[in-house]
Amino acid sequence: MTRFIQSVVVLGLTFGLACDSKTDAAADKKADPKADAKKADAKKATDEKAPEAKADAPTEVAKADPPAAADEEIDLSVWGPEFAGWVAMAPAGTKVEFDDPSRQLAISDEDFLSVGEAPGYADAIKSLAGDADNSNIVVVSETEARWERNPPLGKEWNFDIKMDVGGKPWSCAGSTFTDAAMADKLVAICKSMKKK
């Protein structure tokens, strides 16, 4: 029986010491700021590695704009006898459309330019300032004007280029909701029109 009591006492002491050592270790951890700092650094390192692991996971790839089509010579003779022998430099796939008196080059579904007779070109340019939706009106020269519109549909870049076709004043005009760079491209197409 003495042995039994001794075993119980030893077991109790062992259990008590084990509990005390866990409590002491917990107290030591709380009291040791270096241990807390090491633990925080370890967590930060794990958090920083997490994005790298996520980088291997499939992600949504942003759609890139398709490459711009190379310019090619477009025959404008479809626009009638006034444009016999006329060409323009425009992106491949540009459509030449003629529904008298409408003459258009369609670069895309949204971006196109129109060519028409313009006996009152100068007066039309002067009248731009009278429209409250027009802004940033720039008369580049006697033959070129550019401006922006801010209608309910959003920002629009506009231009009008005066041309001489058979000794008469014509206009190559258009607008785009795409961006200023597209307006620049359309202006360049207008300026490239010539009789070969």
Side-chain angles (χ1 to χ4, degrees):
M1 180 134 202
T2 305
R3 279 193 149 169
F4 175 73
I5 293 172
Q6 285 176 342
S7 295
V8 170
V9 171
V10 170
L11 185 61
L13 288 173
T14 305
F15 180 73
L17 289 174
C19 287
D20 284 344
S21 67
K22 284 183 183 175
T23 305
D24 291 343
D28 288 345
K29 284 184 182 175
K30 285 182 185 174
D32 187 6
K34 289 182 182 177
D36 289 342
K38 287 181 183 177
K39 194 180 229 183
D41 289 343
K43 183 176 181 342
K44 184 178 176 182
T46 303
D47 291 345
E48 287 174 356
K49 288 183 182 177
E52 292 174 12
K54 288 179 184 175
D56 294 336
T59 58
E60 186 176 323
V61 177
K63 292 182 180 178
D65 291 333
D71 283 352
E72 62 182 31
E73 193 173 84
I74 307 290
D75 180 12
L76 302 178
S77 61
V78 132
W79 284 348
E82 298 91 341
F83 286 90
W86 278 70
V87 295
M89 294 303 292
T94 295
K95 295 175 187 164
V96 182
E97 300 170 350
F98 180 47
D99 183 11
D100 199 6
S102 175
R103 294 167 174 87
Q104 295 185 342
L105 279 183
I107 311 309
S108 69
D109 291 340
E110 298 86 25
D111 300 307
F112 61 92
L113 53 86
S114 298
V115 173
E117 292 185 62
Y121 179 86
D123 291 335
I125 298 306
K126 286 178 189 172
S127 71
L128 292 173
D131 188 332
D133 285 336
N134 290 340
S135 63
N136 298 326
I137 301 166
V138 178
V139 178
V140 178
S141 68
E142 290 180 1
T143 60
E144 180 180 352
R146 300 188 68 170
W147 67 98
E148 296 171 5
R149 284 182 63 80
N150 300 291
L153 298 176
K155 189 170 188 176
E156 180 181 18
W157 291 266
N158 296 270
F159 60 90
D160 202 335
I161 309 294
K162 184 179 178 185
M163 305 168 34
D164 182 303
V165 179
K168 295 182 181 175
W170 284 65
S171 165
C172 180
S175 65
T176 179
F177 289 99
T178 304
D179 56 27
M182 177 53 77
D184 292 343
K185 178 66 178 172
L186 294 173
V187 166
I189 293 168
C190 286
K191 289 180 175 182
S192 76
M193 292 181 186
K194 64 180 182 179
K195 188 167 187 175
K196 283 182 88 171

